[in-house]
Amino acid sequence: MASPVSSNDEGAFKTPKNVRVRSPLSTGGTPITIPASPFMKKLGCGTGVNVYLMNRWEKQNASPWAVKKINTKCVSKQVSVYQQRLSEEAKVLKEINHPNIVGFRAFTVAKDGSKCLAMEYGGEQSLNDLIEKRKESGMKAFPAAIIEKVALHVARGLQYLHNEKKLLHGDMKSCNVVIKGDFETVKICDVGVSLWLDENMKVSAPKAEYIGTEPWNPKEALEGGEITDKADIFAYGLTLWEMMTLAMPHLEMLEDDDEEDEEDSVEESFDEDAYYERLGTRPPLDTKALGSSYKRMVELFYLCTEQDPKKRPSAAQIVQALESNNTL
């Protein structure tokens, strides 16, 4: 393995205007101009939020930012909840500094009270976008070397979060990995549902809630068990599986038919009970079709998706194995 201008700007405006604000979390309180969302390219969306590309023309050779804002149309009755979540994400992201994690740039509050989180623009596309495009082109799994590169860089980011910051990402999946160019850089994004870990790598806060995304959630999260750093590792394993299968975990039955006119019949034939029974388990993988070059990534996938969290490797162990080219 997921904020700027006005709560009414998503279509109710007449003359959109830039919002120039002084951010309490930006460097030196420098005034920051956030364009109204119609003037920014939409990069993607998540639960209750949209992310936009902000080009900073006011500074020569300035790198663009990704700006997250609340989608008030989707969360009209829960805006305060999502605003608070965005504030918490900004606080967490501000303390993170790692080459494999999208960096903090600014946190601003517009005149109407809506909040905007500006982040490093980590790449042109999400890993999920690349998976979808590869599938639509009729191609098969990503080359083993590319999967291994993504595996190493994401594991480095997770090792930093787990060991140095004592944070569980909490929503690992291909949508939350951004890629620049031809896999020149690989960065984890969206720490909005992260949870604090104690010295034993356990989520111990009594009211802490693991959110994640259903198809990537481990069994312990689905059944109210103890959550540790290994919850991220399970979802990480499924992210590698996505690159090998070009599919979403446990939704294979939706991949059988691409015909639009058969969409209703697919929906009617969807076995919801079977789907929920499979959640938190290891999805099938055709290792013969992949071939011998994928051996290390197949082994890593199997280790990361062990049912028992204690049998899964830590992020640090994954990094050590991949960097040294040792047996996983």
Side-chain angles (χ1 to χ4, degrees), residues 137-158:
S137 299
M139 302 175 75
K140 299 298 182 182
F142 285 85
I146 292 295
I147 300 176
E148 188 159 339
K149 181 175 183 178
V150 171
L152 175 58
H153 285 266
V154 173
R156 284 172 177 166
L158 289 178

Side-chain angles (χ1 to χ4, degrees), residues 24-294:
L25 293 183
S26 62
T27 305
T30 306
I32 299 167
T33 301
I34 304 291
S37 54
F39 296 118
M40 295 187 287
K41 177 184 177 182
K42 187 174 179 180
L43 294 174
C45 58
T47 305
V49 296
N50 290 328
V51 181
Y52 300 91
L53 177 64
M54 174 182 161
N55 288 303
R56 298 186 296 143
W57 306 115
E58 72 278 9
K59 293 185 178 181
Q60 189 175 8
N61 298 321
S63 59
W65 288 352
V67 177
K68 181 181 287 190
K69 67 174 293 186
I70 305 300
N71 184 338
T72 54
K73 283 187 176 181
C74 294
V75 297
S76 57
K77 296 181 180 180
Q78 294 180 298
V79 171
S80 61
V81 173
Y82 284 89
Q83 295 282 28
Q84 180 61 32
R85 184 180 292 180
L86 193 65
S87 297
E88 293 300 321
E89 181 177 2
K91 289 178 183 178
V92 170
L93 195 61
K94 190 173 187 289
E95 301 302 318
I96 290 174
N97 182 19
H98 190 274
N100 294 121
I101 302 175
V102 167
F104 172 88
R105 291 297 179 263
F107 186 58
T108 69
V109 180
K111 292 180 180 179
D112 64 356
S114 60
K115 299 175 181 179
C116 322
L117 174 57
M119 304 165 287
E120 170 192 13
Y121 176 49
E124 299 168 2
Q125 304 174 82
S126 74
L127 178 58
N128 180 260
D129 291 334
L130 295 175
I131 289 171
E132 289 296 320
K133 288 181 179 179
R134 191 172 183 87
K135 180 181 175 182
E136 289 170 2
S137 299
M139 302 175 75
K140 299 298 182 182
F142 285 85
I146 292 295
I147 300 176
E148 188 159 339
K149 181 175 183 178
V150 171
L152 175 58
H153 285 266
V154 173
R156 284 172 177 166
L158 289 178
Q159 179 186 17
Y160 171 82
L161 288 176
H162 296 170
N163 295 85
E164 294 192 38
K165 308 310 290 187
K166 289 294 185 287
L167 275 172
L168 181 80
H169 182 276
D171 196 17
M172 272 308 307
K173 56 185 178 181
S174 60
C175 294
N176 288 335
V177 178
V178 289
I179 308 296
K180 182 178 180 180
D182 188 18
F183 292 88
E184 295 161 22
T185 64
V186 179
K187 295 177 184 278
I188 298 171
C189 66
D190 199 349
V191 295
V193 293
S194 61
L195 298 171
W196 294 107
L197 297 167
D198 64 17
E199 64 277 7
N200 297 314
M201 292 295 184
K202 298 178 182 178
V203 174
S204 55
K207 294 185 179 180
E209 180 185 0
Y210 183 91
I211 296 176
T213 303
E214 201 170 65
W216 289 263
N217 287 358
K219 188 69 76 174
E220 63 266 25
L222 295 165
E223 297 182 347
E226 183 178 73
I227 303 299
T228 69
D229 60 318
K230 302 301 180 65
D232 272 350
I233 300 303
F234 184 88
Y236 164 85
L238 293 188
T239 303
L240 303 183
W241 180 89
E242 290 182 79
M243 295 188 74
M244 290 186 276
T245 64
L246 309 185
M248 287 180 62
H250 311 301
L251 290 172
E252 306 83 26
M253 70 283 288
L254 298 182
E255 308 298 328
D256 294 338
D257 252 317
D258 293 329
E259 297 296 329
E260 293 183 7
D261 57 353
E262 296 190 19
E263 182 177 340
D264 291 339
S265 62
V266 171
E267 184 176 343
E268 289 172 5
S269 64
F270 180 78
D271 189 338
E272 190 172 2
D273 290 338
Y275 164 71
Y276 281 107
E277 183 68 25
R278 284 196 294 269
L279 288 180
T281 67
R282 179 189 293 141
L285 182 64
D286 188 349
T287 56
K288 290 184 179 179
L290 287 171
S292 60
S293 63
Y294 291 85

